[in-house]
Amino acid sequence: MRKIRITAVAALVLAMAFSTFVSAAPSPVAGTVMVVVPGSSTPSAPKINVPTVKQLEALADFISQDAAAAGLVPSVKSTVDIAAPANYMGGDVPVVLAVAGLRNGAGNVFAYILLPNGRKIVVPCTVRNGYVGFFAPAFGTVSIVEMNVPGAPAPAAPLTLH
């Protein structure tokens, strides 16, 4: 009799497990970039290009030198080349990128920006719900980098993006 009860309970649990409907909020689309050009009130999607090998090498050198000087270990999460929109006249631009693998409120995330003239800039980022935001002083090739202390356990991946 006991075996029948255990079998019945196991069958009930399996039936519930396979019939449970789970719905999750949509995740940010990786690679999505939105900017608000100074003088405009609506966000727009600028032209995004794949960075060239030369741009990637320049950013990689800059990131590794900066991390070594600070005694940190870099983890590059995303790299895109953002072209300036036609109506851009200069000034700080709020940029938002969808980037996976960062926890909400992470304070160790930075945007490394390689400008078209070769100048390199580091800007702190804000992370929220799978999106990284920062103010870019100009458009160029951007790498989103998480800096971690060497030997420290890697931060846990977020369980949810929302």
Side-chain angles (χ1 to χ4, degrees):
M1 185 71 163
R2 185 170 181 195
K3 288 183 181 182
I4 294 173
R5 282 189 201 157
I6 292 173
T7 305
V9 169
L12 181 63
V13 168
L14 286 173
M16 287 175 41
F18 288 114
S19 65
T20 304
F21 178 73
V22 178
S23 177
S27 297
V29 178
T32 301
V33 179
M34 296 302 289
V35 299
V36 178
V37 176
S40 172
S41 60
T42 58
S44 61
K47 183 177 180 197
I48 305 299
N49 300 310
V50 176
T52 65
V53 172
K54 185 177 177 181
Q55 291 168 326
L56 290 173
E57 287 174 347
L59 270 174
D61 288 343
F62 180 49
I63 292 167
S64 61
Q65 288 173 6
D66 193 44
L72 300 171
V73 177
S75 175
V76 177
K77 300 297 181 180
S78 175
T79 301
V80 294
D81 183 36
I82 306 172
N87 57 348
Y88 177 66
M89 300 297 197
D92 285 350
V93 179
V95 177
V96 178
L97 290 131
V99 180
L102 295 171
R103 61 181 166 68
N104 268 346
N108 58 338
V109 178
F110 301 91
Y112 283 76
I113 305 169
L114 174 64
L115 301 178
N117 64 5
R119 190 169 146 227
K120 299 169 189 110
I121 301 169
V122 180
V123 181
C125 297
T126 302
V127 180
R128 183 166 178 166
N129 296 332
Y131 293 95
V132 174
F134 59 94
F135 286 93
F139 289 97
T141 306
V142 178
S143 281
I144 302 300
V145 181
E146 181 179 32
M147 292 292 194
N148 296 305
V149 177
L159 297 176
T160 62
L161 291 175
H162 302 282

